[in-house]
Amino acid sequence: MNKKSVNPFSCPSPLIAHRGASALAPENTLAAFRKAHAIGAKWVEFDVMLAACGEAVVMHDETLDRTTNGSGRVIDYPYSILKTFDAGSWFDPVFSSEKIPTLAEVLMLLCELNLGANIEIKPAEGIEEDTVKKVLSVLDQHWCGNNQPLLISSFSRTVLETVRQYSATHHLGFLMHDWEPDWQTFCDALNCVAVDISHPVLSAERVREVKATHRLLLSYTVDDPVIARRLFDWGVDAVFSNCSPGMAVFL
């Protein structure tokens, strides 16, 4: 993407609900996505990985222990078992009926609610290609579009390269936890439309560097309105937020 190109991907809101409205409902559950819609979010972010059976499920951690009453690795269980775990009580007993949702279930809900999506692909080691192919297949079957943004992002260069191998049209975002000096070369090669960067490593100069390439610059995870305003003043397009009450001003 050269400096004269125009980014075809739009940013409908300065706030992206991180794992849904995860300050208000258990992360990456249907309840969290419904809550994001209820408070006025226009798009959400969530994580996708594979179950043992090959089903694409929406889950952040590689293990079940933190956000469910199960234990062990997600990849070791078929979805027929994963769906029996309680994925809500850890947050609040009122959410005890929440389950680990499939990607298909989440996409259908987002279409119903008219929400855009940032999908982070988080494959288990060694099954990057299988994960990408499954995600793209589910998107083909269940993403309605509705003129809503759909961004596929990952920290894994292998994942993004594989997405581009199978799709010339999906919008890609490169996630960086630390500043990677060759980010532009990599993003140019894959025509990434967005760069998603941890806010502590950003500076006004780095924001200018990214924005000079006419890409969206998204930053995570921001629940402090003071930090959010500084990032927006520098030129950041949107922040991933757990949607704590103080961030409502940006919705």
Side-chain angles (χ1 to χ4, degrees), residues 43-112:
W43 58 334
V44 298
E45 181 270 353
F46 56 89
D47 313 276
V48 179
M49 59 185 64
L50 295 188
C53 60
E55 183 71 71
V57 298
V58 174
M59 182 81 175
H60 177 269
D61 294 5
E62 293 181 358
T63 58
L64 297 158
D65 304 70
R66 182 177 64 87
T67 60
T68 79
N69 64 342
S71 182
R73 300 191 308 163
V74 175
I75 190 61
D76 291 336
Y77 291 88
Y79 188 65
S80 60
I81 300 299
L82 291 176
K83 69 181 181 181
T84 68
F85 295 134
D86 173 353
S89 291
W90 67 273
F91 185 90
D92 190 299
V94 72
F95 294 107
S96 63
S97 63
E98 290 301 313
K99 307 301 180 184
I100 299 171
T102 65
L103 174 59
E105 289 173 326
V106 170
L107 293 177
M108 288 187 286
L109 176 63
L110 299 188
C111 289
E112 176 187 330

Side-chain angles (χ1 to χ4, degrees), residues 80 85 115 194 208 211:
S80 60
F85 295 134
L115 290 172
R208 286 193 297 270
K211 294 305 298 176

Side-chain angles (χ1 to χ4, degrees), residues 9-251:
F9 190 76
S10 62
C11 184
S13 168
L15 190 150
I16 305 164
H18 181 244
R19 307 178 198 170
S22 54
L24 307 171
E27 65 179 59
N28 281 338
T29 62
L30 298 183
F33 302 126
R34 291 191 181 100
K35 179 62 72 173
H37 176 260
I39 65 175
K42 300 296 188 296
W43 58 334
V44 298
E45 181 270 353
F46 56 89
D47 313 276
V48 179
M49 59 185 64
L50 295 188
C53 60
E55 183 71 71
V57 298
V58 174
M59 182 81 175
H60 177 269
D61 294 5
E62 293 181 358
T63 58
L64 297 158
D65 304 70
R66 182 177 64 87
T67 60
T68 79
N69 64 342
S71 182
R73 300 191 308 163
V74 175
I75 190 61
D76 291 336
Y77 291 88
Y79 188 65
S80 60
I81 300 299
L82 291 176
K83 69 181 181 181
T84 68
F85 295 134
D86 173 353
S89 291
W90 67 273
F91 185 90
D92 190 299
V94 72
F95 294 107
S96 63
S97 63
E98 290 301 313
K99 307 301 180 184
I100 299 171
T102 65
L103 174 59
E105 289 173 326
V106 170
L107 293 177
M108 288 187 286
L109 176 63
L110 299 188
C111 289
E112 176 187 330
L113 300 178
N114 209 33
L115 290 172
N118 182 116
I119 301 173
E120 181 185 343
I121 299 179
K122 297 174 69 75
E125 186 175 357
I127 60 168
E128 290 86 356
E129 184 172 8
D130 288 344
T131 306
V132 166
K133 289 171 68 174
K134 180 63 177 181
V135 169
L136 294 179
S137 174
V138 176
L139 285 172
D140 286 343
Q141 295 175 62
H142 296 288
W143 181 246
C144 55
N146 290 345
N147 296 316
Q148 293 298 316
L150 176 66
L151 182 67
I152 297 176
S153 65
S154 187
F155 289 101
S156 168
R157 295 188 181 214
T158 300
V159 162
L160 296 177
E161 289 166 346
T162 305
V163 174
R164 188 54 77 225
Q165 175 185 343
Y166 287 101
S167 171
T169 57
H170 277 299
H171 296 308
L172 300 183
F174 181 37
L175 273 160
M176 290 193 289
H177 183 69
D178 298 304
W179 187 257
E180 301 185 28
D182 68 339
W183 70 267
Q184 185 175 350
T185 300
F186 178 74
C187 289
D188 285 348
L190 296 184
N191 194 28
C192 294
V193 300
V195 184
D196 309 349
I197 305 176
S198 175
H199 77 83
V201 305
L202 283 175
S203 64
E205 180 180 1
R206 285 176 171 175
V207 171
R208 286 193 297 270
E209 180 179 332
V210 174
K211 294 305 298 176
T213 69
H214 297 275
R215 290 182 169 87
L216 286 182
L217 175 51
L218 314 175
S219 188
Y220 67 93
T221 303
V222 182
D223 275 315
D224 184 337
V226 174
I227 294 174
R229 287 192 177 92
R230 181 174 71 244
L231 293 170
F232 294 141
D233 287 344
W234 286 347
V236 169
D237 294 287
V239 297
F240 298 96
S241 175
N242 298 319
C243 301
S244 60
M247 295 294 290
V249 65
F250 300 111
L251 288 168

